[in-house]
Amino acid sequence: MNAEIVAVGSELLLGQIANTNGQFISKQLASIGVDVYTHTVVGDNEQRLNFALKEAHNRSDIVILTGGLGPTKDDLTKETVAKFCGKQLVYDAEALNYIEAFFKQHNRSMSPNNKKQALIIEGAQVLANRHGMAPGMLLELDAGKKIALLPGPPSEMKPMFERELLPLLLGANDHAAITSRVLHFFGIGESQLETDLDDLIETQTNPTIAPLAGDGEVKLRLTVKHGDPTEAVRLLNEVEEKIQARVGKYLYGYDETTLVGEMYAMLKQQGLTIASAESLTAGLFSSELAAVAGASDVLKGSITAYGNDVKESILGVSAATLRNFGAISEECALEMARGVKHLFKSDVAISFTGVAGPESLEGHKVGSVIMALVFADGTEKTIRLSLSGGRNAVRKRGVKYGYFHLVEELKRRNGSK
């Protein structure tokens, strides 16, 4: 079975609200093996909705519409679907009683247009709405095709989908569930990753391999369709092993993880605390870490040291270092990290210095980034980067590289225990 999701509402096209319904339904359908090939968003216009419905019906086994079931004149989904199917709208007694009881219970008078919400398409299977007014519907058409109508508000749509529509779809599908695994990579570009895995991607069948780029990282989504959960996991493991053999050194996590989340988890697991000294990044490293729930377990503190006088007076960077090597140097980065580690008595320290732009500084090009890592056992290392992009892109990417190198070092240390 394949499906198309049609979200109805001009507010979606205007960007006033996000189409979270589409995301939710796609995930739910994938879990029962229903393939979603197309998402469509259409405004509150009968002609355009009819066209979208016709196109969706022609290419899909089931069309799921969300929105447009309310009491106002621009709520015209069921009217349009009824005309498309050549059917009449009739009142559903149970839905009407429910709506009337609601208004009576809340001591409110029911306006005539609210009665409209109890209208259903003749012959449709009613999907009860226990979190709102308008019931949903499932229509069985010729050749086994189906059209489902669900309300737009997520608080109504989600429970209706899970409790009313999903059991009906389960009975009609082959139960071959779709299982996905997302691999997160950093330090390799999307084009290089695709090049390294080109033959695997070209010959993919089941599981499939889909590269996903965004926010300075690259992800691979592995998707398998199988009726046996154990076999599905085996197939995913098999293809992941092939991928890891080629680009495993760039892999840092799975599914919903993030670089900062991985770093936090590893610091907490190893019982370590961290402090940061930030010139180039101006607190961005510690700010993103602080956004992680439980960050206080690992984050001791941070110093934003833009000016050289602050580097000297607060972090203890020597005047000789600044005079002889400059603020954008490995020597300065190391002294910054040592200083903040001593100041906050942390187990680990990281520092950032460099040139975000728009002009070069101390003879260093825009995008030059230097970071230093210092550990309690005396281990110290510096990393030089040459990053592209605008001022804020350099700062953000520099922070991501900081997380990545910390994760790599913490993995190495954990493995050596």
Side-chain angles (χ1 to χ4, degrees):
M1 183 184 291
N2 65 81
E4 178 161 343
I5 302 167
V6 180
V8 184
S10 298
E11 66 276 10
L12 296 167
L13 295 174
L14 293 170
Q16 294 171 342
I17 62 171
N19 183 21
T20 58
N21 284 345
Q23 180 187 29
F24 173 83
I25 295 172
S26 281
K27 284 186 176 181
Q28 294 293 317
L29 292 177
S31 72
I32 63 167
V34 176
D35 299 307
V36 178
Y37 293 149
T38 309
H39 280 233
T40 300
V41 179
V42 61
D44 301 307
N45 178 280
E46 182 178 351
Q47 183 178 356
R48 289 191 286 272
L49 176 54
N50 183 69
F51 178 80
L53 180 60
K54 181 179 179 181
E55 291 287 304
H57 175 71
N58 287 339
R59 61 193 173 205
S60 306
D61 298 316
I62 178 169
V63 182
I64 300 177
L65 298 101
T66 64
L69 302 183
T72 60
K73 290 182 179 180
D74 61 353
D75 291 312
L76 38 76
T77 298
K78 57 189 167 187
E79 289 83 353
T80 305
V81 175
K83 289 181 182 178
F84 177 80
C85 298
K87 295 181 178 290
Q88 300 295 317
L89 289 173
V90 296
Y91 282 106
D92 178 71
E94 185 177 346
L96 184 57
N97 290 338
Y98 180 83
I99 294 170
E100 290 174 339
F102 173 86
F103 281 94
K104 185 176 181 180
Q105 180 182 353
H106 292 82
N107 296 315
R108 293 167 51 190
S109 59
M110 189 177 84
S111 57
N113 60 352
N114 276 293
K115 190 176 179 182
K116 170 191 172 186
Q117 294 181 97
L119 285 170
I120 64 164
I121 299 171
E122 183 183 14
Q125 184 164 352
V126 177
L127 308 177
N129 187 347
R130 300 309 178 196
H131 297 266
M133 299 289 180
M137 285 160 263
L138 177 64
L139 289 121
E140 301 273 353
L141 305 179
D142 294 337
K145 294 206 172 191
K146 300 175 175 65
I147 298 178
L149 289 77
L150 301 174
S155 60
E156 300 178 31
M157 187 282 296
K158 290 181 179 180
M160 182 185 292
F161 184 94
E162 292 176 328
R163 298 173 192 175
E164 301 288 330
L165 181 59
L166 192 58
L168 298 175
L169 298 181
L170 274 170
N173 206 39
D174 60 7
H175 302 280
I178 293 175
T179 306
S180 292
R181 179 184 301 172
V182 179
L183 312 183
H184 292 248
F185 299 85
F186 188 78
I188 184 172
E190 181 185 17
S191 58
Q192 186 61 54
L193 187 73
E194 286 196 41
T195 298
D196 292 345
L197 304 175
D198 184 62
D199 59 314
L200 296 180
I201 295 172
E202 284 296 317
T203 58
Q204 63 181 329
T205 53
N206 188 30
T208 58
I209 305 170
L212 310 167
D215 202 20
E217 301 182 27
V218 185
K219 304 173 188 176
L220 288 178
R221 186 184 64 235
L222 313 181
T223 304
V224 63
K225 186 173 182 179
H226 205 283
D228 182 352
T230 302
E231 180 64 10
V233 171
R234 188 193 70 78
L235 290 169
L236 288 175
N237 289 342
E238 187 177 83
V239 73
E240 184 187 332
E241 286 175 10
K242 295 177 181 178
I243 292 169
Q244 287 230 40
R246 303 185 190 186
V247 292
K249 66 180 181 179
Y250 302 105
L251 176 69
Y252 76 82
Y254 297 87
D255 298 324
E256 300 300 322
T257 192
T258 61
L259 273 169
V260 64
E262 286 291 308
M263 185 198 68
Y264 161 77
M266 298 197 75
L267 286 170
K268 186 173 182 180
Q269 179 189 20
Q270 297 179 32
L272 302 175
T273 59
I274 191 169
S276 63
E278 307 186 52
S279 180
L280 168 85
T281 51
L284 187 59
F285 176 94
S286 59
S287 176
E288 289 190 357
L289 175 54
V292 177
S296 58
D297 294 335
V298 302
L299 179 59
K300 295 280 281 189
S302 176
I303 297 294
T304 297
Y306 243 53
N308 285 354
D309 56 334
V310 178
K311 293 180 176 70
E312 284 189 67
S313 62
I314 304 297
L315 296 176
V317 177
S318 72
T321 295
L322 293 170
R323 182 174 59 253
N324 296 329
F325 301 102
I328 305 166
S329 65
E330 293 179 6
E331 291 79 3
C332 179
L334 273 172
E335 291 188 27
M336 288 172 65
R338 292 170 189 155
V340 80
K341 182 180 179 298
H342 174 75
L343 187 64
F344 290 108
K345 296 179 173 57
S346 64
D347 301 306
V348 185
I350 186 170
S351 66
F352 297 87
T353 185
V355 188
E359 298 176 349
S360 59
L361 187 65
E362 295 183 358
H364 297 276
K365 295 180 179 179
V366 172
S368 299
V369 176
I370 302 172
M371 65 181 73
L373 308 179
V374 175
F375 292 82
D377 63 2
T379 301
E380 298 181 342
K381 67 185 298 185
T382 57
I383 300 105
R384 277 185 173 269
L385 303 169
S386 180
L387 304 179
S388 60
R391 179 179 178 83
N392 286 328
V394 168
R395 295 173 61 241
K396 290 178 180 178
R397 291 185 66 199
V399 165
K400 281 185 177 288
Y401 270 100
Y403 296 140
F404 179 72
H405 284 287
L406 277 166
V407 166
E408 291 298 293
E409 181 63 24
L410 291 167
K411 281 182 181 177
R412 186 188 68 77
R413 289 167 169 269
N414 196 44
S416 65
K417 291 184 178 181

